[in-house]
Amino acid sequence: MLSDEEITNWPEAETATAAPVIRADHLDLTFQTNDGPVHALKDVSLDIAKGSFVSFIGPSGCGKTTFLRCIAALEHPTGGSLTVNGMTPDEARRARAYGYVFQAAGLYPWRTIGRNIALPLEIMGYSRAEQAERVARVLELVELSGFEKKFPWQLSGGMQQRASIARALAFDADILLMDEPFGALDEIVRDRLNEELLKLWDKTEKTIGFVTHSIPEAVYLSTHIVVMSPRPGRITDVIESPLPKERPLDIRDTPEFIEIAHRVREGLRAGYEE
Amino acid sequence: MAEASDPGTRASAGGWPRWLRLPPVLGMVLALMAIWYVAVVPMNVKEVLTAAERAGVEVSPPSAVDRRDMGNWALVFRNTHALGNSWSSDRPKLPAPHQVLVELYDSTIDEELNGRRGIVRSGTLSNRSLVYHALVTLNATFLGFLIGALLGAGLAVGIVHSRVMDMSVMPWAIVSQTIPIVALAPMIIVVLYSIGVQGLIPKAVISAYLSFFPVVVGMVKGLRSPDAMQMDLMRTYSASTASVLTKLRLPSSIPYLFASLKIAIAASLVGAIVGELPVQKGGLGARMLAGSYYGQTAQIWAALLVAATLAALLVYAIAALERRTLRRMGMMP
Amino acid sequence: MTLVIFAVLLWVLGFGLNVMLANGPARDTGAVRLAVPLIFGLTILGMWELIVRGMQVSTVILPPPSLIAASFAENLSTLWGDFVQTILKGALSGYIFGCGAAFLTALLVDRSDYLRRGLLPLGNFMAALPIVGTAPILVMWFGFGWQSKAAVVVLMVYFPMLVNTVAGLSETTAMQRDLMRTYAATWGQTLWTLRLPAALPFVFNGLKICSTLALIGAIVAEFFGSPTLGLGFRISTSIGQLDLGMVWSAILVSALSGTAFYGLVALAERRMTFWHASHRGGR
């Protein structure tokens, strides 16, 4: 059973394959707070092509998470236009166009890992057999096979976050939105998950939007790095990475990597000094 | 277009026009009052129809015996013309809110100001006034609450510091919260009465007993609330047990103490009221029982209203004290 | 007098044994945790017996435990009748009906922000009131039978249950709600998969509080009028006849049922909220 919310057919989206998957055009978002309006996003324009891995980096308050939440229709922009797969973000949300990974794993403690991953499938009305098949497949993808019957609180933080990524992969959305998914993990676990995430992206060919505040993480993972700065939240630089698609962890010691990291750092500093 | 059907953004006051939007609590209270007024009609319909019949109004069916076996709503719909006195009958099954308020006024302000035994004419509170009865109940409540809370806090300190006390007493304290201790009330009253103790003390004993256990359990939790790091800090100072108690444990227990004091004072009031049931020597409980003996429903409701007000005031007073204390201790903005 | 000395000896012995157990090497084993309170309870019972006999306390003031036990054994069938009348008919039916109604109201209230903001303070207020005072009114309305007791119980449990359930239903984090939004889940799906499970610890807290309230309501309501049956009736009439053994037996029955009732709810809680932080310590 699908949700009672209607899924709008959008014929243009199917024909216009060359068009960017996500397109933001002069996007504005102002929050009304008790201390007056806060300009969370100002004049943000960005195209994200299919299959790219885009990182958003910047200091806190620069609107990187807000922008991701706008794409997911968890926030509503107050100006400009935003399309996801050629639809409005809300229509895309109802068409289950993306999987979302939060800062914390946010697994339900009353469900086993397997049933947590099956949660979106249950809601979207997949049959029992298909649920089981997909759960097994994504568990293998994130290397958690055998932990299906465990409860989340019996697993380490890194394993929980892997399970939450599996949950976002379980239904076939071709966009994956990740909001500082590895922020709470220690460096060693984070390195390994970064490596696995790249492999996963390579295997699934999804379009990924990734929010982080770590420069090495952004450079290591992305095809495009979007540097943002606060007050008002805006894009200051978009860096296209020349690194090859195949990236072992020690690529981080190469001059090219350090060069890009330097450029990102410069961009961040420029945003501050303005 | 998409936003309008969004389930996440619910309008807070629905589609009501602005002049109809009431503050939620006021709206609920008015709705309950309206339900009460409507409910008065079917609840009292039999008595009202009998009275109307006596006054010469034609009612259907005409025989009281037939009416007795009929549903209340059926009678209401067949006799809509004869229901004028529903909200002013003499001995209603359910008095209307204004009747309760009139009874409340008569048995408090009017009785004291104009009654023969009222405070204006005699200099002492009338024993027919609810003010007097409320004070009787309140005395027992306070005394019992003080005894119970002090003993409870004391036992909690003992439990936290002695492993034996903890292991021996704590399970029983927890189990005792699951038994209906109020059932003991009449027995305590009668037993104490038989050895010559009566009046305030027996009721206070029940109140104390009821407020004792919530305070023990809450206070033990509070005294144990400092975390390992805070306790380790005290250990690095090689602080004595007494200074750990006064400098760390007691201050951390204050929020827990107030939470259980609020439960305790409400329980204490219930204990005092129930304790007044077996021996008719004044108090709100005695008034309720007397009202139920003589079919004076308005009197029960008035006593109930006073009891409710007292409970609300007592809990509110503790909450106010809690806010002040926590603010002074810097645990609350 | 010798019996009183025995009592003191028994106390020294029992408490000494407990001190030894509680500070001994096996102090954290389950057996000791069970034994210490049991020894404490038995010591108190023994002292009670010895002191009451030794000082020749009148049975009106305090009957010895042996007399209570004898009276309990003698009147098993009477007490069983009282148990059925008060606990099963009065308390349990009112408990099920009252808690069920409160749960459904909470689901209803939850759909409207206006209702929630209006009913929650009101429910909190009502939950603190001495609702047991409505017993005389309800006995007048519903007669002396168990129905009036059930009605008192319904009123007593309704508001605590309502407040707890409403609080529980709003016990989800912003992130969990956002997750359900990214799935475009309907209200019913969110309720079933997220909010009801998250509310369970609160619901059970309400059920536990209400289990004790239900017994209090059913027993106290009998003081205002009952058929010649029921624990409240037994307590008040036996006091009149100064049959204190019977009074204490009735109190014992209500205490045991209270603990058993609470225990059953707590057991169900353990089974259904095993995942909650307060229960999974040992895993």
Side-chain angles (χ1 to χ4, degrees):
Chain A
M1 180 202 75
L2 284 170
S3 126
D4 57 359
E5 294 179 63
E6 215 163 302
I7 297 166
T8 320
N9 263 324
W10 210 263
E12 291 94 320
E14 285 154 27
T15 49
T17 39
V21 176
I22 295 164
R23 163 167 265 173
D25 196 20
H26 301 289
L27 204 63
D28 271 305
L29 176 56
T30 316
F31 289 119
Q32 298 299 335
T33 69
N34 291 333
D35 304 330
V38 169
H39 235 114
L41 290 176
K42 188 170 192 287
D43 206 21
V44 170
S45 297
L46 183 73
D47 284 357
I48 298 179
K50 186 166 170 42
S52 55
F53 194 128
V54 182
S55 283
F56 300 90
I57 190 165
S60 56
C62 70
K64 53 192 193 296
T65 294
T66 310
F67 184 54
L68 205 71
R69 289 172 62 85
C70 283
I71 299 173
L74 295 173
E75 305 285 355
H76 296 287
T78 45
S81 77
L82 178 64
T83 57
V84 177
N85 279 348
M87 302 178 250
T88 68
D90 242 332
E91 285 160 351
R93 176 175 68 84
R94 274 172 225 168
R96 279 96 184 216
Y98 62 84
Y100 201 102
V101 180
F102 293 87
Q103 287 173 6
L107 301 165
Y108 293 171
W110 52 85
R111 283 173 171 253
T112 58
I113 294 297
R115 297 246 299 133
N116 260 296
I117 295 170
L119 174 72
L121 304 175
E122 276 173 31
I123 288 172
M124 295 171 193
Y126 286 81
S127 72
R128 289 228 165 249
E130 182 138 14
Q131 283 179 29
E133 188 248 313
R134 279 168 181 262
V135 167
R137 199 179 71 210
V138 291
L139 272 175
E140 200 182 316
L141 217 54
V142 298
E143 293 172 16
L144 273 181
S145 303
F147 291 93
E148 192 178 345
K149 293 272 187 301
K150 292 270 187 224
F151 282 93
W153 30 273
Q154 295 168 320
L155 263 55
S156 70
M159 286 161 102
Q160 287 186 27
Q161 196 56 280
R162 288 215 301 256
S164 93
I165 293 171
R167 183 178 60 185
L169 294 173
F171 54 107
D172 283 321
D174 48 2
I175 303 172
L176 190 58
L177 302 175
M178 308 178 87
D179 181 9
E180 291 187 41
F182 309 135
L185 304 177
D186 68 60
E187 190 115 14
I188 299 162
V189 177
R190 181 194 270 229
D191 276 354
R192 219 185 56 238
L193 289 185
N194 277 343
E195 214 178 355
E196 283 173 16
L197 181 61
L198 270 189
K199 272 189 223 148
L200 208 136
W201 170 62
D202 190 38
K203 260 188 267 182
T204 56
E205 295 180 328
K206 287 186 192 296
T207 312
I208 297 182
F210 190 95
V211 168
T212 179
H213 53 234
S214 152
I215 297 174
E217 188 173 64
V219 178
Y220 175 69
L221 291 172
S222 326
T223 58
H224 297 76
I225 301 155
V226 179
V227 183
M228 299 181 74
S229 78
R231 280 174 300 275
R234 65 200 186 281
I235 293 176
T236 47
D237 197 3
V238 180
I239 301 163
E240 206 175 329
S241 170
L243 297 177
K245 208 166 182 184
E246 191 73 21
R247 298 177 189 180
L249 269 176
D250 49 20
I251 200 172
R252 292 180 299 185
D253 300 325
T254 60
E256 291 95 332
F257 188 96
I258 292 163
E259 163 74 36
I260 307 166
H262 181 72
R263 217 181 124 189
V264 173
R265 196 169 290 115
E266 286 296 303
L268 287 172
R269 192 172 299 151
Y272 257 116
E273 279 160 7
E274 265 170 40
Chain B
M1 170 214 102
E3 271 78 6
S5 63
D6 192 328
T9 53
R10 275 179 294 194
S12 62
W16 294 91
R18 181 169 287 277
W19 59 272
L20 260 176
R21 281 184 205 167
L22 291 168
V25 176
L26 186 63
M28 287 303 119
V29 172
L30 287 181
L32 284 180
M33 284 292 157
I35 294 173
W36 188 342
Y37 269 106
V38 172
V40 164
V41 179
M43 283 298 289
N44 297 332
V45 66
K46 281 168 188 162
E47 291 78 2
V48 169
L49 288 183
T50 310
E53 194 180 20
R54 255 184 235 133
V57 182
E58 202 169 300
V59 296
S60 90
S63 143
V65 179
D66 289 342
R67 286 202 298 271
R68 204 184 57 205
D69 298 328
M70 281 181 64
N72 288 343
W73 282 109
L75 284 172
V76 168
F77 287 119
R78 286 174 68 167
N79 297 285
T80 41
H81 58 282
L83 295 172
N85 289 328
S86 288
W87 297 284
S88 57
S89 57
D90 276 344
R91 303 184 94 195
K93 259 183 129 174
L94 174 63
H98 67 263
Q99 288 178 298
V100 176
L101 289 181
V102 168
E103 165 70 23
L104 190 63
Y105 176 82
D106 284 348
S107 58
T108 52
I109 299 169
D110 190 50
E111 175 70 25
E112 293 299 351
L113 293 186
N114 304 323
R116 192 167 49 79
R117 283 178 278 191
I119 193 163
V120 174
R121 302 228 182 134
S122 68
T124 51
L125 287 170
S126 164
N127 66 355
R128 285 169 56 183
S129 110
L130 274 176
V131 182
Y132 166 79
H133 291 290
L135 281 179
V136 169
T137 305
L138 213 51
N139 270 337
T141 306
F142 273 136
L143 186 61
F145 172 71
L146 277 181
I147 299 173
L150 282 177
L151 285 181
L155 183 64
V157 171
I159 285 179
V160 169
H161 287 99
S162 156
R163 240 191 109 76
V164 193
M165 288 267 273
D166 178 20
M167 290 177 79
S168 319
V169 181
M170 209 46 196
W172 293 106
I174 291 169
V175 166
S176 74
Q177 292 211 298
T178 68
I179 64 179
I181 295 173
V182 181
L184 293 167
M187 193 199 61
I188 293 175
I189 301 280
V190 171
V191 165
L192 289 179
Y193 188 81
S194 77
I195 55 170
V197 181
Q198 52 172 312
L200 185 62
I201 304 294
K203 289 189 281 175
V205 168
I206 297 169
S207 288
Y209 200 56
L210 282 179
S211 45
F212 176 69
F213 288 110
V215 174
V216 173
V217 173
M219 197 61 186
V220 165
K221 218 184 216 171
L223 289 170
R224 291 221 171 110
S225 64
D227 58 33
M229 206 177 67
Q230 290 169 314
M231 291 300 288
D232 282 346
L233 183 69
M234 283 296 176
R235 209 161 292 142
T236 65
Y237 301 153
S238 111
S240 67
T241 312
S243 43
V244 174
L245 180 68
T246 53
K247 300 236 183 315
L248 177 58
R249 286 191 191 271
L250 280 178
S252 342
S253 73
I254 296 295
Y256 295 83
L257 176 66
F258 275 110
S260 42
L261 285 186
K262 277 187 265 184
I263 299 169
I265 196 131
S268 186
L269 182 66
V270 172
I273 290 174
V274 175
E276 283 157 358
L277 294 179
V279 180
Q280 293 288 308
K281 285 271 166 60
L284 293 174
R287 279 286 280 209
M288 287 177 196
L289 197 64
S292 102
Y293 278 157
Y294 303 116
Q296 291 292 335
T297 43
Q299 185 185 323
I300 307 179
W301 281 97
L304 200 57
L305 207 60
V306 172
T309 316
L310 281 186
L313 285 179
L314 291 174
V315 174
Y316 179 81
I318 300 225
L321 192 67
E322 175 183 26
R323 266 197 304 278
R324 265 192 63 171
T325 315
L326 290 187
R327 205 164 286 158
R328 183 168 295 176
M329 293 173 64
M331 294 166 114
M332 205 174 128
Chain C
M1 210 50 220
T2 42
L3 286 177
V4 179
I5 296 169
F6 271 131
V8 175
L9 269 177
L10 183 67
W11 171 253
V12 172
L13 210 75
F15 204 74
L17 186 61
N18 267 354
V19 170
M20 242 170 61
L21 281 175
N23 298 317
R27 62 193 226 171
D28 287 321
T29 57
V32 169
R33 286 193 173 278
L34 192 69
V36 170
L38 278 183
I39 292 172
F40 182 77
L42 288 175
T43 311
I44 296 282
L45 270 187
M47 283 175 62
W48 175 356
E49 180 83 36
L50 290 170
I51 291 178
V52 166
R53 288 194 184 279
M55 315 248 301
Q56 280 161 3
V57 179
S58 145
T59 54
V60 175
I61 296 170
L62 195 63
S66 56
L67 188 98
I68 299 172
S71 171
F72 185 84
E74 247 169 64
N75 297 294
L76 266 184
S77 65
T78 316
L79 290 169
W80 173 251
D82 294 341
F83 171 80
V84 171
Q85 171 74 13
T86 306
I87 310 293
L88 296 188
K89 288 188 184 162
L92 196 63
S93 63
Y95 178 80
I96 292 171
F97 191 80
C99 289
F103 188 79
L104 293 181
T105 316
L107 288 187
L108 212 71
V109 164
D110 182 65
R111 293 225 67 168
S112 150
D113 197 42
Y114 185 78
L115 277 180
R116 187 171 57 231
R117 284 192 301 158
L119 271 182
L120 204 55
L122 213 62
N124 265 318
F125 174 73
M126 298 293 279
L129 297 186
I131 291 186
V132 74
T134 57
I137 297 167
L138 293 170
V139 169
M140 207 179 279
W141 287 357
F142 296 100
F144 283 180
W146 61 267
Q147 292 88 347
S148 61
K149 282 66 193 179
V152 176
V153 172
V154 167
L155 275 190
M156 282 188 76
V157 301
Y158 183 79
F159 291 102
M161 186 65 193
L162 178 69
V163 170
N164 270 289
T165 312
V166 170
L169 284 175
S170 46
E171 188 55 19
T172 51
T173 63
M175 200 182 76
Q176 290 171 327
R177 287 192 299 271
D178 278 347
L179 182 71
M180 296 314 268
R181 254 173 81 66
T182 68
Y183 298 153
T186 61
W187 181 81
Q189 288 172 330
T190 309
L191 183 72
W192 185 247
T193 53
L194 170 61
R195 300 180 53 225
L196 275 184
L200 271 186
F202 284 75
V203 171
F204 273 108
N205 189 37
L207 286 176
K208 283 197 290 192
I209 295 172
C210 290
S211 72
T212 313
L213 286 178
L215 259 57
I216 292 176
I219 292 172
V220 171
E222 285 180 0
F223 297 155
F224 288 94
S226 67
T228 58
L229 197 66
L231 292 169
F233 165 83
R234 193 68 57 207
I235 291 171
S236 50
T237 49
S238 301
I239 286 177
Q241 301 157 356
L242 290 181
D243 182 0
L244 267 288
M246 193 63 175
V247 175
W248 279 91
S249 302
I251 288 172
L252 185 64
V253 172
S254 34
L256 287 179
S257 356
T259 309
F261 196 174
Y262 187 95
L264 282 178
V265 178
L267 202 71
E269 179 187 27
R270 247 170 197 285
R271 290 191 66 112
M272 292 184 68
T273 63
F274 61 91
W275 46 269
H276 194 252
S278 57
H279 291 304
R280 62 186 192 222
R283 281 169 206 249

